[in-house]
Each structure stands twice: as structure tokens, then as C-alpha cells.
Amino acid sequence: MTPDAVPPGGSPYDPALMAAVTDLGDALRSLVDASVRTTVDPAELSAVAARARELTGRLTSATRPATRLPALDDPVAFRRVYSPVTGVGSAIAPPVVLRREGDGVAGTATLGLAYEGPPGFLHGGMSGLLMDQVLGAAAIAAGRWGMTVRLELDYRRPVPLEQPLVLRGWMVEDAGRKAVVAGSIALSAAPEEVLVEARGVFVAPRPDTQATYFGGITDATGRHRPPGRPTDATALGAGAGG
Amino acid sequence: MTPDAVPPGGSPYDPALMAAVTDLGDALRSLVDASVRTTVDPAELSAVAARARELTGRLTSATRPATRLPALDDPVAFRRVYSPVTGVGSAIAPPVVLRREGDGVAGTATLGLAYEGPPGFLHGGMSGLLMDQVLGAAAIAAGRWGMTVRLELDYRRPVPLEQPLVLRGWMVEDAGRKAVVAGSIALSAAPEEVLVEARGVFVAPRPDTQATYFGGITDATGRHRPPGRPTDATALGAGAGG
């Protein structure tokens, strides 16, 4: 789907399932957008709600438990099809498409009315959601995976809706288990004029914490599959106590 | 819908429309949740996608322009039915229900699998999205409205999915156009054990900036309706240059 996504690779997956998940994500995203723009009357809104509940019934005829990752996911390759920021199957995600760029990552997204905060502009918290993902991806691109321990955002100017944005992230400091990352949001049409600046600190959990957090997580076949880099076992051992 | 919402009041609205918008928001939220849990086969996913596109077609038979607020919204009372955090009609919003509590605001929400970051836990950026809204509401509850100029988040422990959360926000410093606000996320079952701490700075735009940002915004009747407190004209005049 995104051959230049960050990080590339991962385990093989069913291309027919990927296409269908992408199709449904796209369809639901359009439905969510329509739901905030529509001016049809209350009876029609309720009729559409009833139809939507029928679709929910069809989808819930077979479901996974929360601890079992989706069949398409590869947590070690950070392929997460339902990510609320980058997931092709997520109706919540714009979705942001990320690629490697120089020493960091860059991505594009256009945010519609469903993401509005002050009238006409992106919700300030949505900028935080986007930046957390982009900064985390920049750490991964530099060979570090971690969970957010701090995130700071400075809002220089409001971010317009319905205009293509460019999102950037780059490593500032690589300190073993800890990565300090920075990033920005700008209009694609004026990429040098930063609208939002971000700085984040990501830390890889120690092995015992990792086991506590993700001990029950399995892939679709039932095999234990926690997140983390393929080399994390070594990196974590070296960094324990840091 | 939320008689104790923050801030209370606002202009009268059509209760039948509010009920229908709430109904559709609820139905779409369930559909989005089902879409990330389902394990039905690709053909069924695509069939559901096709049906969802039919619903989008029904909703887009009549739409508002982006500069025209929804009929149910009251930007001065901060009633925003499609807010991506608190909007009863938003499929993106959990939604968070806020109320006044002491000198600040408190709210509850339960975040499902659609908001996942690390397996089993809330996406770190979602904590930022929630906190931005709660901190902004705390400023409003204290009589100040502003746009986010800075947001800081410290993540003490990961936030579990599918468990009721309590979100709090309170004013730290009221400096005219500028409000410094703090907040937290905890489990409802352990409200004193803070998982995420937040601090935000919100600033009310000066009148000329306000006019630039929101000059084209109208309500459903076509009347100019920028956001801000009823008393902002005076407050802004006194605070200009600050």
C-alpha cells in the first residue's frame, strides 16, 4: 500500500485483505466527513443511523479479542493498519502517509472539517496527535523505538483545514533507550513557514516493563508479538538501568 | 443533551435535530469500533464499504459550506456538536462529557481499540488531543477563551484502553488574554494515580487577528458568528498589546 512507508518491510500479508481493509477505511472516512457536513433532515439522519447499525452488525459477526493484533499488523515492522493517525483501515486517521526523508521522516495529510477546533482551523489537540506519531516514526527511522514520555508543542499560527500539510520529524538526540525528537507542521504550499513546532522524548521500556505492558499481546496466529525493534532485546539489555 | 456541560447555556436549538445528530454520531462510532475489531473476509469488508458509500451519498445530498457552522452549534456558548473530542455527532470523538468541578472541569471517557497506540494502550497523541480540549474548557469555565499557543504533556504511565478515564483541567494563572491551565488523565478506578499530566497556554486573539481568522464564519442563518466569550469585545480591548 505504501511501499515507501517508514519503516519499510515487515512480514508478508494477504494483499486481498489489505485491499479490502483499505477500501473500508476509505469508505468510512468519507462517511464520517459527510456526517459533519450534511444538512439533511432529522428523519433522514436517523434512517442513515439505522443502516449504519446494520453494517456494524455485519462486521461484528466475527471479531478479534483486544489482545490479538489484526492479521495485517506487524508490530516489529510497525505496520499498524488501524493506527488512528496512519492506519489505512482507520476512519479516525486522515490517514498520514509517512516516508523517509534525509535523516528523518516526512509525511503529508489533508485534514477535513471532522478535525475542526476553532472554526476553519485544525483542533489544537489534533496537531498533538499528528506530531506524536511523526516524532515516534522519526525515532523508529533512526533505529529507536520508544513510548512517549514527554511531548511539547508550540503553536505559531493556526493550521488551516482542507489544505495539504507537510509533517516532518527528525532525531535530535539518540541516548540509547531514550530518543529526543523534533518535528513541525506546515502547509505544503509554504513548507518553510512552520505553523506548529514539536519536541518529544521517547523511551523504550526495560524488559520487565515491556513484559508487564505487552505480555498478553499476540499476533493473529496466537504467537506472542510485542512491539519493538528486531534488535531491541540486545539494545534493552545494554540500556537496562539507564 | 448534556445539561451540565461546560459552559452551560447557549442559544435554543431544534431538539429533534439534536437527537438525530446524536443518534447518527453514536451509530457511526459503533461502526468505526466494529471496523477495527472485525475479522470478516475481504468480500464482506468490501460489501460493507459499498453500503457505507451509499450512506455517504444520502448524507451529501445536502451539505453546508465549510465556513457555515452547523445549525446546532453556538460558538459563543462553545456548543460544537462535531468537535472531534466532545461532539455528540462526531464519530472521531469518544466523546468526552465535561462538567464543572470545583474551580475547573472534569470529564469522563472510555477509549476503545480504535484509539490504540502501543498494543493495549491509548495512542500517546490521543492523550494530547483529549488534554487540549479539557484544558481549553477549563479556561472557558474560568471566563477565558483562547487558542492553544503551547501544550506540554508528561506521560507517567501508559493509559489503558476500554477502561473509564477521568480527565481534569484547572486554571493555574489568569493573565487577561492569556490563560495557563493544567490537567491530568487517570483511571476512574484510581483517580489519584495520574497517568498523564498536561499544561497548556491559551491566548485570546487580538481583535484584528480574530477578524482575520474568523471573518468569514457564519451561523446556519448566515449571520457572522466568530468564537469567543460574550464579553470578549471588552476584554480584548483592555488586553490589546498584552
Side-chain angles (χ1 to χ4, degrees):
Chain A
M1 295 314 306
T2 51
D4 53 355
V6 174
S11 53
Y13 56 80
D14 176 353
L17 181 58
M18 182 65 91
V21 163
T22 303
D23 186 33
L24 181 57
D26 183 64
L28 293 184
R29 222 170 275 130
S30 296
L31 180 55
V32 170
D33 183 73
S35 74
V36 308
R37 294 178 191 270
T38 190
T39 54
V40 301
D41 64 31
E44 179 70 352
L45 291 174
S46 291
V48 168
R51 292 289 182 186
R53 289 195 172 95
E54 290 173 12
L55 300 184
T56 300
R58 289 173 68 166
L59 294 178
T60 53
S61 65
T63 58
R64 64 185 171 99
T67 53
R68 202 178 89 198
L69 295 170
L72 293 167
D73 277 16
D74 182 336
V76 174
F78 300 96
R79 190 175 69 218
R80 305 293 308 278
V81 294
Y82 298 120
S83 159
V85 182
T86 57
V88 291
S90 169
I92 293 173
V96 173
V97 180
L98 288 171
R99 62 181 189 282
R100 286 179 188 273
E101 187 182 86
D103 291 338
V105 299
T108 51
T110 301
L111 284 287
L113 265 190
Y115 303 96
E116 190 173 66
F121 297 106
L122 186 64
H123 193 290
M126 282 300 309
S127 291
L129 175 58
L130 300 177
M131 283 286 92
D132 180 73
Q133 180 80 29
V134 172
L135 269 52
I140 290 167
R144 296 293 167 193
W145 171 78
M147 293 171 75
T148 320
V149 301
R150 185 169 168 82
L151 183 64
E152 299 169 19
L153 298 140
D154 287 293
Y155 298 78
R156 304 298 181 205
R157 304 185 65 164
V159 178
L161 296 173
E162 303 187 316
Q163 295 186 39
L165 304 176
V166 56
L167 314 170
R168 293 184 198 284
W170 60 91
M171 194 78 138
V172 171
E173 184 190 346
D174 179 348
R177 289 198 307 124
K178 175 178 152 183
V180 182
V181 193
S184 64
I185 301 177
L187 291 173
S188 294
E192 301 311 317
E193 186 182 331
V194 171
L195 305 177
V196 178
E197 285 180 77
R199 186 172 174 280
V201 180
F202 295 80
V203 173
R206 293 192 188 86
D208 57 337
T209 310
Q210 170 97 357
T212 303
Y213 288 169
F214 307 116
I217 300 296
T218 73
D219 66 14
T221 69
R223 191 162 55 111
H224 178 49
R225 284 283 267 177
R229 298 294 297 173
T231 56
D232 270 0
T234 310
L236 286 166
Chain B
M1 293 315 305
T2 53
D4 53 356
V6 175
S11 53
Y13 57 79
D14 176 353
L17 181 58
M18 181 64 91
V21 163
T22 303
D23 186 34
L24 181 58
D26 183 65
L28 294 183
R29 223 171 275 129
S30 296
L31 179 56
V32 169
D33 183 72
S35 74
V36 308
R37 294 178 191 270
T38 189
T39 54
V40 301
D41 65 29
E44 180 69 352
L45 291 174
S46 291
V48 169
R51 293 289 181 184
R53 289 196 171 95
E54 290 173 12
L55 301 184
T56 300
R58 288 172 68 166
L59 294 178
T60 53
S61 66
T63 58
R64 65 185 170 99
T67 54
R68 202 178 88 197
L69 296 170
L72 293 168
D73 277 15
D74 182 335
V76 174
F78 300 95
R79 190 174 69 219
R80 305 294 307 279
V81 294
Y82 299 120
S83 159
V85 182
T86 58
V88 291
S90 169
I92 292 172
V96 174
V97 179
L98 290 171
R99 63 181 188 281
R100 286 179 188 273
E101 186 182 87
D103 291 339
V105 299
T108 53
T110 301
L111 284 288
L113 266 189
Y115 304 96
E116 190 174 65
F121 297 106
L122 186 64
H123 193 291
M126 283 300 310
S127 292
L129 175 57
L130 299 179
M131 283 285 93
D132 181 73
Q133 180 81 29
V134 172
L135 270 53
I140 290 167
R144 295 293 168 194
W145 171 79
M147 293 171 75
T148 320
V149 302
R150 183 167 170 82
L151 183 65
E152 298 169 21
L153 297 139
D154 286 293
Y155 298 78
R156 303 299 180 202
R157 305 185 66 166
V159 178
L161 297 174
E162 304 187 316
Q163 295 186 40
L165 304 176
V166 56
L167 314 169
R168 293 183 198 285
W170 60 89
M171 193 76 138
V172 172
E173 184 190 345
D174 178 348
R177 290 199 306 127
K178 176 179 151 183
V180 181
V181 192
S184 65
I185 301 177
L187 291 174
S188 294
E192 300 311 315
E193 186 182 330
V194 171
L195 305 176
V196 178
E197 285 179 78
R199 187 174 173 280
V201 180
F202 295 79
V203 173
R206 294 192 187 86
D208 56 338
T209 310
Q210 170 97 357
T212 303
Y213 289 169
F214 306 116
I217 301 296
T218 72
D219 65 16
T221 68
R223 192 162 54 113
H224 178 51
R225 286 282 268 177
R229 297 294 297 172
T231 57
D232 269 1
T234 310
L236 286 165

